[in-house]
Amino acid sequence: MKKMMLLAASLGAFALTSCSNYSRRPYTEIPLAEGEEEVAPNEFCAFEDFPKDVPFKYVHVVKASKMLYANPKSLRPAIEKMVRKRGGNAVANYHENIRFGAFSLTIVRPVASGDAITILNTRGKTCEEMGGQSFTK
């Protein structure tokens, strides 16, 4: 009986650790320069790290997944919706991949996560020039 309980606990721990690929990264928010106005980007951007040389503000962590196998790119609309709902206009520290779960229906499933941020001023740069990737392309 003890062995069964230990096995169930270890499977539960495995399921919890395999649910997310989010890892916190250090960042420094860049404030607006004196006299600079807020200019939001025209497109939704995803950054592997945090944007460089543009002012931004951290909002919140966002995570999305599907229970069945699918392309990880299919989670992009859900991530964008979560970020916009929290008041952000971009996602930093963004990762999307396939995870292996512990249950039969979730053996292979897509997972995406990142940090919702608000870009305060693009300073005339496009998403690619800021070091990001547009979700619309």
Side-chain angles (χ1 to χ4, degrees):
M1 184 67 173
K2 265 188 170 177
K3 288 182 181 179
M4 286 296 266
M5 290 176 62
L6 182 62
L7 178 63
S10 64
L11 280 176
F14 172 75
L16 289 176
T17 58
S18 67
C19 289
S20 174
N21 59 343
Y22 176 78
S23 62
R24 185 84 173 158
R25 287 191 182 175
Y27 67 93
T28 303
E29 287 185 359
I30 302 173
L32 285 171
E34 191 174 320
E36 193 173 30
E37 296 180 17
E38 285 193 27
V39 178
N42 295 332
E43 53 193 348
F44 188 84
C45 287
F47 299 91
E48 283 187 27
D49 201 2
F50 286 89
K52 309 233 183 312
D53 301 327
V54 293
F56 72 92
K57 182 177 70 172
Y58 175 82
V59 178
H60 202 275
V61 174
V62 290
K63 298 176 186 176
S65 66
K66 286 190 176 180
M67 293 305 292
L68 299 174
Y69 179 77
N71 187 341
K73 290 182 180 184
S74 67
L75 296 172
R76 289 180 176 186
I79 289 286
E80 182 176 356
K81 184 177 179 181
M82 281 186 240
V83 169
R84 293 200 187 274
K85 186 176 181 181
R86 296 179 188 270
N89 57 20
V91 63
N93 191 16
Y94 181 71
H95 299 283
E96 57 186 29
N97 60 14
I98 300 291
R99 285 288 184 181
F100 297 92
F103 305 107
S104 61
L105 292 177
T106 62
I107 295 291
V108 180
R109 66 193 184 105
V111 177
S113 61
D115 295 309
I117 62 171
T118 301
I119 296 177
L120 302 173
N121 191 321
T122 61
R123 295 183 175 161
K125 297 179 182 180
T126 64
C127 185
E128 285 77 20
E129 290 171 341
M130 290 186 285
Q133 175 186 8
S134 176
F135 268 10
T136 57
K137 293 180 182 179

